[in-house]
Amino acid sequence: MKDLYYEITENGYHIKDRNDPLFHIHQYEPYIPDKSKTYEENAQAQIHEIMVDNYVSAVENEEMTLEEVPEDYRAEVEAILPEPQEQKYTLDEAATIFAQEVNS
């Protein structure tokens, strides 16, 4: 899991990952995402977006459960995740139905 932090510079900010020395995002003028926010607010918002995506991926890949997602992110992650599909048949039942259809 990513462990992101930011560093503010005179014309923007850097986002880095303590767990991955190759991860680096550098946002600087004139490419700051939201000019109505400070560099710090932009960095925090961008980190939040990245972490939401990471948690969605982790839940989808069954690396963690939705309940394990930190509370600050859980509602957003849950809103992005697809609705769980109701399983209508067991695999054996589906195979039997498929075999019957093929043999008809």
Side-chain angles (χ1 to χ4, degrees):
M1 188 59 57
K2 292 193 180 309
D3 184 10
L4 303 180
Y5 66 98
Y6 61 89
E7 296 171 350
I8 303 298
T9 63
E10 67 181 47
N11 69 340
Y13 57 90
H14 297 266
I15 296 176
K16 298 179 181 181
D17 183 354
R18 289 180 185 90
N19 297 326
D20 180 0
L22 299 178
F23 183 91
H24 181 215
I25 296 172
H26 182 199
Q27 296 293 124
Y28 54 92
E29 294 294 350
Y31 306 107
I32 299 299
D34 185 344
K35 303 224 185 277
S36 70
K37 294 180 180 177
T38 66
Y39 294 155
E40 184 171 19
E41 290 169 329
N42 271 284
Q44 291 168 346
Q46 193 166 5
I47 286 174
H48 188 85
E49 289 174 22
I50 293 167
M51 292 308 297
V52 167
D53 289 343
N54 278 311
Y55 286 123
V56 167
S57 179
V59 172
E60 287 178 335
N61 294 327
E62 298 180 354
E63 296 167 10
M64 68 186 330
T65 65
L66 184 59
E67 291 74 31
E68 293 173 314
V69 173
E71 188 67 34
D72 292 349
Y73 300 95
R74 192 172 304 145
E76 289 174 86
V77 170
E78 188 172 19
I80 295 170
L81 290 170
E83 292 291 322
Q85 299 296 316
E86 181 180 322
Q87 188 172 353
K88 296 181 180 183
Y89 304 104
T90 65
L91 288 176
D92 288 338
E93 291 169 336
T96 301
I97 292 169
F98 181 72
Q100 289 172 347
E101 291 294 322
V102 169
N103 291 328
S104 319

